Amino acid sequence: MENPSVEEVKTDVLGYIQKVKSDFTFEDLIAGTGRPTIEAKIALDQLAGDYDCRLKVTEQGNLLYDFGASLKRRSSISLKERLGIIASWLWKGFTLFYKFLTSIILIVYFVFFLIALLAMIAASMRGNNNRSGADGLFRLVYVVFRGIFIWDSVNRNQYDYNRDRRGYRYKEYDARKGVLSTKNSEPQKSFIASIYDFIFGQPRFKRSPLANRMEVATYLRQSKGLVTISEIQALAGWTREEASSFISECLYAFEGEAKVSDNGTLYGDFSDLLRTKAEVDPEPVIWYWDEYTPPYNLNDNSSAHNSWIVFMNIFNLMGSSFLIANFPNFGLPSILWWLVGFFPFIYSVLFFMIPLGRYIINLRKNRSQYRENVRKRVMRAIFQIDKKRIPLPELVQYANQHNSGESPLSEKEVEQIMKDTIYDLGGEVVIEGQYDQYEFVSLHDELVDIHRLREGKMSGNSDDKIVFEA
């Protein structure tokens, strides 16, 4: 009898998963498919990487696999997400188109000032024949013209930290420098970059799509290859369901093994990742609460730049309005009426309407941003207080004591955030005395148990010496 292919085994395992539509143990899978242990294990690990799968532990310490009532590929997206992607692409297309129009408008201004500049250069050369000065001005003209078509207003290879109005520290890209900035002077943001940011806002700092995986890989190297669902939550801020699904994805991606301790703690063992000689990890470990969510700003331009931009667009708006009203008196073709009248008028109206629309949307987004940052502070307190039960006043006191300049939180704010966070962390509310008590038995026991497991495990082989070299 020929050995079955991996795909044949996966088909059998997939059929079993679709049939049970609920939790099952690995032993259930063996009995339900009749496949050998090694074959079934390989197929199950691959399917856990392909489809959403949550790991669970019973009271008796049995490991369960849960693919849900219906299979969902990790790469699949819902109709709502699909519509969001379509809307995002449409917005990106409109953004590129409008930036192109802005470039054309800027070229018109550029040509006007270029003619004036060339006249000044010619007059200067007739006076003192200063050729080097003329060459410098021509280079400046080239740099300015090239800058018109650099639509990205930031340097995505460099970032710095800033604080919002409530004191929350966040990352932001460095703005593209202006053409007049020098190495010795304080960098000034490009005026052309300010125009693009006035319309669409400065790009927000984004992490790599694989940043979560790389961060977990770094953390595993620092924690003897062991990680729990609670620690994944502390790194990413996810709910237990999301963290459980992610850890099962990592088990397949990093060839780890799901284990259950004697105390019933589910954890991932990724001992293979400890084999290393590199001294620098690709992604630093940053806890969820150590990196605040950036605010949604209208733009970060200087008031001088914004004033000039508003003046320029009002000038365009007034000029196009005048042409629309008086063009019939000029006796020129109607196509020119559209090109120099209606077209710049519509452009100039959108120039103000787009930032106004963003401002209205940002009001809602900034409320969510503030709630997210409060949630980060609350989660830090929950993980660092190291108690199974935490009264509301103690939670508020710790969150306010352990801060770096953030505005203080009230009991009402923390209580409101805890209505959602308590269930995200698998805790429960205990009504006792004057204040609510927040109980996190599973989370606390899980963190204590994984610490014990790490203490009993040997470290990696970072001191491994080379004994053979080809």
Side-chain angles (χ1 to χ4, degrees), residues 86-100 200:
I86 293 174
S88 175
W89 278 109
L90 289 174
W91 175 249
K92 286 181 180 178
F94 171 77
T95 300
L96 291 175
F97 175 70
Y98 197 85
K99 284 184 176 181
F100 174 76
F200 295 105

Side-chain angles (χ1 to χ4, degrees), residues 175-182 185-191 302 305:
R176 181 156 55 87
K177 290 175 59 175
V179 297
L180 299 180
S181 297
T182 64
S185 66
E186 194 71 24
Q188 299 294 324
K189 183 177 180 180
S190 163
F191 180 71
S302 66
H305 278 189

Side-chain angles (χ1 to χ4, degrees), residues 233 239-241 420-428 439-443:
Q233 288 186 272
T239 64
R240 284 197 71 81
E241 289 77 10
D420 296 325
T421 305
I422 186 74
Y423 301 109
D424 290 347
L425 300 178
E428 59 182 17
E439 195 167 70
F440 302 95
V441 176
S442 298
L443 185 148

Side-chain angles (χ1 to χ4, degrees), residues 181-202:
S181 297
T182 64
K183 292 183 179 180
N184 298 325
S185 66
E186 194 71 24
Q188 299 294 324
K189 183 177 180 180
S190 163
F191 180 71
I192 295 175
S194 294
I195 293 176
Y196 293 131
D197 281 357
F198 181 91
I199 307 168
F200 295 105
Q202 182 173 335

Side-chain angles (χ1 to χ4, degrees), residues 9-66:
V9 179
K10 283 177 65 176
T11 300
D12 288 348
V13 173
L14 193 61
Y16 175 81
I17 293 171
Q18 291 174 316
K19 182 174 67 175
V20 297
K21 296 183 179 180
S22 61
D23 309 339
F24 61 89
T25 65
F26 182 67
E27 291 72 22
D28 291 333
L29 177 64
I30 298 297
T33 61
R35 291 294 184 180
T37 302
I38 296 178
E39 294 178 0
K41 179 62 176 173
I42 293 174
L44 181 60
D45 286 346
Q46 290 189 9
L47 290 171
D50 294 338
Y51 297 92
D52 280 343
C53 174
R54 289 192 292 136
L55 303 177
K56 301 177 181 178
V57 178
T58 66
E59 293 180 351
Q60 297 179 354
N62 294 318
L63 178 62
L64 301 179
Y65 295 84
D66 181 11

Side-chain angles (χ1 to χ4, degrees), residues 86-250:
I86 293 174
S88 175
W89 278 109
L90 289 174
W91 175 249
K92 286 181 180 178
F94 171 77
T95 300
L96 291 175
F97 175 70
Y98 197 85
K99 284 184 176 181
F100 174 76
L101 295 182
T102 303
S103 301
I104 301 303
I105 300 297
L106 288 174
I107 288 174
V108 173
Y109 279 103
F110 176 81
V111 170
F112 173 78
F113 288 113
L114 178 60
I115 293 173
L117 181 61
L118 290 175
M120 293 171 59
I121 294 173
S124 175
M125 291 179 63
R126 284 195 300 268
N128 54 22
N129 197 25
N130 189 349
R131 184 67 186 177
S132 61
D135 290 341
L137 287 173
F138 277 116
R139 283 196 296 270
L140 177 61
V141 168
Y142 165 74
V143 171
V144 173
F145 183 80
R146 185 188 63 181
I148 291 175
F149 292 96
I150 302 177
W151 295 343
D152 199 346
S153 62
V154 296
N155 183 352
R156 296 181 185 268
N157 296 321
Q158 297 179 359
Y159 65 86
D160 204 346
Y161 285 91
N162 203 346
R163 287 185 182 272
D164 66 12
R165 60 189 181 87
R166 293 187 174 94
Y168 291 100
R169 189 169 177 259
Y170 62 91
K171 285 181 181 178
E172 67 176 3
Y173 292 118
D174 287 347
R176 181 156 55 87
K177 290 175 59 175
V179 297
L180 299 180
S181 297
T182 64
K183 292 183 179 180
N184 298 325
S185 66
E186 194 71 24
Q188 299 294 324
K189 183 177 180 180
S190 163
F191 180 71
I192 295 175
S194 294
I195 293 176
Y196 293 131
D197 281 357
F198 181 91
I199 307 168
F200 295 105
Q202 182 173 335
R204 291 164 58 81
F205 183 85
K206 288 185 178 180
R207 300 179 70 194
S208 163
L210 295 177
N212 284 324
R213 278 193 186 182
M214 292 190 292
E215 185 178 58
V216 169
T218 302
Y219 180 71
L220 287 168
R221 292 185 175 199
Q222 298 174 0
S223 58
K224 298 186 178 181
L226 308 181
V227 68
T228 65
I229 293 176
S230 295
E231 290 172 313
I232 295 293
Q233 288 186 272
L235 287 170
W238 290 329
T239 64
R240 284 197 71 81
E241 289 77 10
E242 292 169 333
S244 176
S245 178
F246 181 75
I247 203 171
S248 67
E249 179 185 348
C250 289

